[in-house]
Every structure is written in structure tokens, then in C-alpha cells.
Amino acid sequence: MPESGASRAQQERTHISTPRTVAAESASTGTPPGNPAATDAARRTGLLVTLVLGGLTALPPLSMDMYLPALPAVTESLQAPAATVQLTLTACLTGMALGQVVVGPMSDRWGRRRPLLLGMIIYVVATAICVFAPTTELLIGFRLLQGLAGAAGIVIARAVVRDMYDGVEMARFFSTLMLISGVAPIVAPLIGGQVLRFTDWRGIFAVLTVVGVVLTLVVWKWLHETLPPQDRHTGGIGDALRTMRGLLTDRVFTGYMIAGSLAFAALFSYVSASPFVVQEIYGASPQTFSLLFGINSVGLIVVGQINGRMLVGRISLDKALAFGLSVIVLAAAALLLMTSGVFGHVGLVPVAAGLFVLMSAMGLAMPNTNAQALMRTKHAAGSASALLGTSSFLIGAVASPLVGIAGEGTAVPMAVVQLVCAVGAMACFLGLCRPWQRVS
């Protein structure tokens, strides 16, 4: 059942400082609550934690989106079909899904810090090897390893948030993380497009290697442990599997998990297909594609911040989620009508507008599904976060190759996948979560 109460960061056993723990420590030491020094310390500490966790959640979209403008170039360089090159995205996504199943329970047993650092080191090595991959098959293999290691940042960032926050505060923090991690999809294709002006696609992996090294050093220096020893699980693999099975028997948790995963799959079908749709079908340059991708990401960020700063605490999370899913369904239906020729030949602008609306609505769907699902976990945040991430990335990995099933000359498969996923997400939300039967 959902855990109630204020932020868990208020508990004395939490090792990492947050604005709340700084305030609590000030009270315990007799420092006046209005002390400007204490307030500034709380603000700086909270900002630091937010930036570090934001960097961890930004790494996966950075790893995929910086590479997007180079997909046609990789196809030409390695002399491989577009569908095969798209498997480099699928491999990375699959690795991130499977890696979370392992890292999540590990973090519940050994704490958040050690599994995270190990994963970051492996990520850096795998990304560096991608620079020199001579064939598509080897590139796919190392992208799989890159995803397996990069999963540590995704799952542990969510678990750290669950360690520190609960309820409305957790939903707000997820929206704040979306602001930071949302910068990655904006900047990444722009950086990727500019890197391609000076070098080939291999240079993109060189830049990602440097980013991985910097983030690893930041985590090592500034992100301390948030799961104290007394709260860790001592069981082995069997205990972890039993914990996950128990989570999956919670109908409402499973409903939010699948609804969020299908929404993510609709988003990732856009991520996977858009380089070919925008550049090959509509003839845009890599720089134009990067600009459009960035505009869509801005929409996602803005709506996410509206959710966190204006909606959360004023209306129920389920109402905001229902509205977001409804908009995604309508946008996907409009895209299918446009790309299938129902309105005749349409240019890039109407299609880009439909994609903008769809992406923006993700700012309501994604943070609220995560928050609602994690609020139903208490002592297994790592395992719950692993299930959420694994489900999202596995379903996204299945959706990715489907968008290119009819070749590079049509955007209809992308729109079909998006509509099916959006309708499925709404059906799971209504059929499994049943928000009208409980108080959100």
C-alpha cells in the first residue's frame, strides 16, 4: 500500500543531506530556523543532489539522442540496411532494460553507491570501444554492453529519490529531474549534428566517453550513500525475485508500470523513427532535425514543470495523468491520419506539430506514473525502480524495430506504433489502476 508521511529525508538514518535534513539538523543543534546560513546550505545541498541525479537520468537519452543524427551516416559507413542500424538503438535499450533487473536488487542489498560506480566505469569502457567498432554486429554488441552498464544510473537515481522523498514531494522532484534530464534530448542531437560537421559518427562516441568519465567523477565525489545498512536486504537472488514477484502482484503498481512503459514506447518509437522520417522522407538536414527534436524536448520540459510546480498538490496525480494520456492518444491518432494520406499530402510542419503535442504530453504521463508506482513501495525502492525501468525499456525495444518495418519511405508504421501504445497505456490505467475506486 502507499507509504504515507513526509519526506523520508527527514529521518536521521539518511546519509545524504537534503534541504529537509539540513533544516532538521539546524533545529537539533539549536540553530534558528530562519538562519540565512542554514537556508543557503539547504538550498546548495538540494541543488547539488538534484544536479547529480539529473545527470544520471540524462545519461541514457544523451547516449541515444546524440547518436540519432548519425544513423543515416552509420548506414552508409558500415554498408548496412537501415533496419539493422536501428538495432544499435534497440541493443542499447535492451541492455538498459536487462541491466536494471540486476542493478536494482543489488542496490537494495549493497547500497546505492557501489553498484552505481561499477556501472559507470563499465559504461565508459564500453562507450570507448564503440568508437573503434569496425562492423555493425560489433557496434550492436558494444551498444548492448553500454546499455547494461548505463542502467545503473537510471535505476539508482529513481531509488535515491525514493530514499529521500515521498508523496507529493516525490512527484515534484521527478518533475524537477525531468527539467534537468530533458535538457539532454535538446542538447544531444544539436551536439551530435555539430560533431558530424567536423568528424564522423565515431566522434560522437568519443564525446560520450568523455561525458561518462566526468559523470563518474562527479558521482564518486558528491553522491553519498542514501540507503543505510539497517534498511538493506540481506537475501540473495531468490529473495530479490520474491520481492519483485510481490510487487507484480499489486494490481495498481503493475497498472502504473505498464501504462508508463507503453507511454515510453510511444515516445521511443518517435526517437527511433524520427531521424529517417524527418531527414529521408521530408528532406530535412541533420541540423534541422536536431532543431525540431530540441523544440519537442522543450515542450516536454515545460509541461513537466507545469505538472510539478502548478498541478501537483492542487489536483490529483491521476487526473493529470489521465489528461496527459488522453492528449497522447489524440496526437497519435492525428499523426496516423496525416501520414496515411487521409488529408492528402502534408508537409513537415503539420507532422512536426503533431509530434510536438505528443512529446509535450509526456511531461504529464511519465513523472506521474513513476511517482504513483513508487509510492506503493516502502522497503524495495531499488527492485521497484528496476521493474519500472525494465518494463519501459523492454517494451520500447520491441517498438523500436517495428517503426521501420515498411522501409524508409513511409512514416505510417511510426504513427501506428504510437497509437497502439497510447491506447494500450490508457487501457491499463483505466483497467488496472482504476483511479475512481481510491483516493489519489
Side-chain angles (χ1 to χ4, degrees):
M1 294 300 294
E3 182 184 359
S4 61
S7 167
R8 297 178 66 193
Q10 292 177 325
Q11 300 174 5
E12 292 181 359
R13 66 175 185 268
T14 303
H15 291 185
I16 191 169
S17 296
T18 68
R20 294 188 173 196
T21 56
V22 171
E25 289 169 3
S26 298
S28 66
T29 57
T31 305
N35 190 314
T39 302
D40 290 343
R43 186 180 299 112
R44 288 194 301 270
T45 303
L47 178 61
L48 178 61
V49 173
T50 303
L51 290 175
V52 173
L53 296 182
L56 291 174
T57 56
L59 188 61
L62 194 66
S63 300
M64 291 185 288
D65 298 342
M66 189 184 296
Y67 176 64
L68 292 179
L71 283 178
V74 176
T75 301
E76 182 179 353
S77 172
L78 299 181
Q79 298 180 346
T84 302
V85 173
Q86 283 178 326
L87 288 177
T88 61
L89 288 175
T90 303
C92 186
L93 199 62
T94 303
M96 290 179 181
L98 299 178
Q100 291 183 68
V101 177
V102 177
V103 177
M106 283 176 59
S107 72
D108 282 338
R109 183 175 182 182
W110 290 301
R112 314 302 186 199
R113 181 175 166 83
R114 283 187 292 173
L116 176 58
L117 286 172
L118 177 62
M120 292 301 301
I121 291 171
I122 297 175
Y123 171 87
V124 169
V125 174
T127 306
I129 294 175
C130 286
V131 176
F132 306 101
T135 65
T136 308
E137 291 74 18
L138 286 176
L139 182 60
I140 291 172
F142 287 121
R143 286 283 278 174
L144 176 65
L145 181 59
Q146 183 190 42
L148 286 168
I154 310 169
V155 66
I156 292 179
R158 275 196 303 262
V160 168
V161 174
R162 186 64 185 91
D163 290 340
M164 297 191 301
Y165 296 99
D166 191 21
V168 169
E169 290 298 322
M170 183 166 57
R172 287 200 176 108
F173 198 93
F174 274 125
S175 293
T176 301
L177 283 185
M178 181 166 288
L179 171 63
I180 298 174
S181 62
V183 172
I186 298 174
V187 176
L190 295 174
I191 296 175
Q194 294 306 311
V195 169
L196 291 176
R197 295 172 67 95
F198 302 100
T199 183
D200 60 8
W201 58 271
R202 299 180 188 275
I204 292 176
F205 286 107
V207 173
L208 286 173
T209 302
V210 174
V211 172
V213 170
V214 171
L215 189 54
T216 302
L217 294 175
V218 168
V219 168
W220 176 75
K221 183 173 178 61
W222 282 298
L223 187 62
H224 306 292
E225 185 58 64
T226 61
L227 186 66
Q230 63 267 28
D231 286 347
R232 298 176 190 176
H233 293 184
T234 57
I237 296 177
D239 182 67
L241 293 177
R242 283 190 293 272
T243 299
M244 289 185 175
R245 185 171 65 247
L247 290 170
L248 291 175
T249 59
D250 182 343
R251 170 180 52 79
V252 179
F253 173 87
T254 302
Y256 286 120
M257 180 186 72
I258 299 177
S261 299
L262 288 170
F264 179 83
L267 182 150
F268 195 75
S269 66
Y270 157 75
V271 170
S272 181
S274 59
F276 297 97
V277 171
V278 175
Q279 296 180 73
E280 302 296 329
I281 297 178
Y282 292 99
S285 67
Q287 289 71 37
T288 300
F289 161 73
S290 300
L291 177 61
L292 291 176
F293 198 93
I295 291 173
N296 290 341
S297 299
V298 168
L300 186 150
I301 291 172
V302 170
V303 174
Q305 291 312 291
I306 292 173
N307 176 71
R309 297 179 182 275
M310 299 176 61
L311 301 182
V312 171
R314 291 181 172 85
I315 66 172
S316 72
L317 300 184
D318 281 328
K319 288 182 180 179
L321 175 57
F323 181 76
L325 290 176
S326 299
V327 173
I328 293 172
V329 170
L330 293 175
L335 284 167
L336 179 58
L337 293 175
M338 287 189 287
T339 56
S340 61
V342 171
F343 300 129
H345 176 73
V346 296
L348 177 59
V349 173
V351 173
L355 291 171
F356 174 79
V357 173
L358 185 145
M359 283 284 287
S360 298
M362 294 292 173
L364 292 175
M366 297 175 66
N368 290 327
T369 51
N370 282 333
Q372 289 286 67
L374 285 173
M375 273 195 283
R376 301 187 69 83
T377 67
K378 185 175 182 180
H379 300 302
S383 296
S385 178
L387 286 174
L388 291 173
T390 298
S391 175
S392 294
F393 283 97
L394 280 179
I395 295 177
V398 172
S400 174
L402 294 179
V403 300
I405 198 170
E408 303 173 30
T410 176
V412 170
M414 176 192 73
V416 170
V417 171
Q418 288 173 335
L419 182 57
V420 170
C421 290
V423 172
M426 179 64 80
C428 286
F429 173 64
L430 296 177
L432 295 178
C433 301
R434 302 173 190 173
W436 61 87
Q437 293 182 350
R438 52 197 172 76
V439 179
S440 298

